Amino acid sequence: MVKPKAGIVGAGIAGASCAGTLSGAGWDVDVFDKARGAGGRLSTRRLGHGWATLGTPFISARRDPFRSQLREWVRKGWLEAVRGDVLQGRATVSWAQAQMQNHYRPTIEPSQLVRRLLGEASLHAHSPVAALKPRTIVLADGREMGDYDCVICSVPTPQALPLLEALPLLRESLGEVRYRPVWSFLMRWEGGPAAHVVKFDDHLLQLAVRQTGAGPGLWAVHSSYEFAETYLEASVEEASTRAASALMGLLGLPWPVEVEASHLWRYARPETTAGGFWLSDRENRVALIGDGIAGVGVERAWESGLRLAQALIQAREAGTI
Ligand SMILES: Cc1cc2nc3c(=O)[nH]c(=O)nc-3n(C[C@H](O)[C@H](O)[C@H](O)COP(=O)(O)OP(=O)(O)OC[C@H]3O[C@@H](n4cnc5c(N)ncnc54)[C@H](O)[C@@H]3O)c2cc1C
């Protein structure tokens, strides 16, 4: 029997959960990502001999099936429940008081976690996609990859829109989904709070998370949306200097605070979403998943990939695709 084939754009958690579920059911799956590897907003930054993350610091589950999935990842040694102290405003509180008791953090590189979810699917890194057509993925270098039983687009909605010129129905049903940006920095300093997480009550900075995989004193510091919107077009140097001086003021730190890396997430989190787990143009065999469709956060993104894959597997078994 001929194996069904899927082509997926985007190797974030949504694309990876979809790819892994389909390949586990015997589908041939190609995954294309413009980046150098899997991960998306769960990517890893290599530093010397260690790693840190500028993306999602925590993974949390509100309900099944993601709750059971997180328990399995804990059993496999990929995640651990977050522990330690949280500095919130001027007080140091427990995880429960900070409402973070259901939060987990990766113990392996987050990008590796996503890579493992891909299962047997073939990942094509450094492969930006320029357009989608019925059953076909057009790469930026002009190559057309095709005759897929389903093409799945798993990128933030503002990045999906320009790919959908040849699919007006899907484009229209997507409507307008707005994302908000975040500037994230890896900063190293000596001294300061003994806490593991700092939740700022501030209009410039939102959160700082101690990093344990790349030497002492390293933190990931995430800006507020307002900060990122103000410094959306600023240089890395300007945004880093503004964030470091805001941090020093808030924590009463002396110089030097070294900024070792930074990243502007233009599409950090969706403000509105399309609704449901996926959107599809059945006739042309193209579907959209990810947090811009299903809702903000790792849980919704992961579940959108899973649910679409399950629906495709069922449709294949029923002979409708
Ligand atoms: C700083 C930050 C903190 C966050 N904190 C949390 C948190 O604490 N808890 C939580 O649940 N969520 C958090 N989130 C949100 C969470 O990370 C996302 O909701 C989730 O990771 C989205 O996954 P995704 O697969 O939908 O998209 P992504 O991870 O963005 O994956 C999309 C992929 O598509 C690729 N791509 C884009 N365009 C193209 C193209 N044209 N061709 C080929 N490839 C392309 C990208 O390279 C990327 O790999 C945070 C996000 C950020 C940025």
Side-chain angles (χ1 to χ4, degrees):
M1 202 173 101
V2 184
K3 278 184 167 192
K5 272 176 64 181
I8 301 183
V9 188
I13 191 121
S17 77
C18 191
T21 309
L22 289 174
S23 68
W27 286 52
D28 260 340
V29 184
D30 289 320
V31 183
F32 301 92
D33 201 294
K34 63 181 182 177
R36 67 187 156 82
R41 278 166 276 167
L42 278 156
S43 59
T44 309
R45 197 52 82 104
R46 295 270 165 81
L47 288 175
H49 297 296
W51 61 269
T53 179
L54 277 166
T56 314
F58 304 119
I59 299 180
S60 47
R62 290 209 181 94
R63 55 172 190 279
D64 272 328
F66 199 48
R67 254 194 202 159
S68 336
Q69 180 66 92
L70 292 196
R71 280 198 290 271
E72 194 190 319
W73 293 349
V74 170
R75 270 197 302 277
K76 287 181 167 171
W78 299 0
L79 288 186
E80 65 182 8
V82 287
R83 299 202 196 293
D85 294 321
V86 182
L87 180 67
Q88 197 169 3
R90 292 182 182 279
T92 301
V93 299
S94 67
W95 294 110
Q97 287 166 307
Q99 297 182 336
M100 293 173 76
Q101 68 270 38
N102 286 325
H103 287 47
Y104 295 82
R105 71 172 145 230
T107 46
I108 58 171
E109 293 182 24
S111 52
Q112 279 304 312
L113 191 156
V114 177
R115 182 74 188 84
R116 289 175 195 187
L117 290 188
L118 285 167
E120 298 295 314
S122 309
L123 174 64
H124 307 268
H126 299 294
S127 299
V129 168
L132 302 181
K133 292 187 192 167
R135 293 171 172 255
T136 305
I137 290 176
V138 186
L139 297 178
D141 63 12
R143 277 181 298 154
E144 297 209 357
M145 317 300 291
D147 212 20
Y148 293 116
D149 294 286
C150 189
V151 165
I152 297 152
C153 184
S154 174
V155 310
T157 318
Q159 293 178 307
L161 277 171
L163 310 183
L164 300 176
E165 299 252 306
L167 298 155
L169 278 182
L170 207 46
R171 219 184 132 104
E172 266 167 42
S173 59
L174 199 49
E176 198 198 325
V177 175
R178 189 170 162 234
Y179 275 64
R180 298 199 76 182
V182 170
W183 266 105
S184 300
F185 308 92
L186 289 174
M187 297 190 191
R188 205 182 286 274
W189 65 79
E190 280 181 21
H196 293 79
V197 170
V198 182
K199 277 178 132 181
F200 298 106
D201 184 11
D202 181 58
H203 66 293
L204 297 176
L205 299 183
Q206 191 208 353
L207 192 72
V209 182
R210 193 186 282 277
Q211 304 290 298
T212 52
L218 186 69
W219 293 72
V221 177
H222 302 284
S223 81
S224 65
Y225 298 136
E226 294 77 11
F227 177 99
E229 278 153 4
T230 305
Y231 297 106
L232 202 56
E233 305 307 334
S235 65
V236 165
E237 291 72 27
E238 185 183 1
S240 304
T241 308
R242 300 278 176 187
S245 68
L247 181 92
M248 287 189 297
L250 285 165
L251 295 183
L253 295 171
W255 284 106
V257 167
E258 274 173 51
V259 182
E260 298 196 359
S262 59
H263 186 79
L264 170 63
W265 300 101
R266 271 183 193 277
Y267 308 111
R269 294 196 193 96
E271 204 175 36
T272 53
T273 51
F277 283 113
W278 72 84
L279 280 178
S280 66
D281 176 341
R282 286 176 74 95
E283 203 187 321
N284 290 314
R285 302 281 181 90
V286 180
L288 308 177
I289 55 173
D291 68 352
I293 310 296
V296 65
V298 174
E299 177 169 19
R300 295 290 295 178
W302 172 87
E303 198 170 346
S304 73
L306 174 78
R307 300 273 185 193
L308 175 65
Q310 288 171 336
L312 288 170
I313 293 164
Q314 244 177 25
R316 182 71 185 185
E317 281 165 6
T320 53
I321 61 167

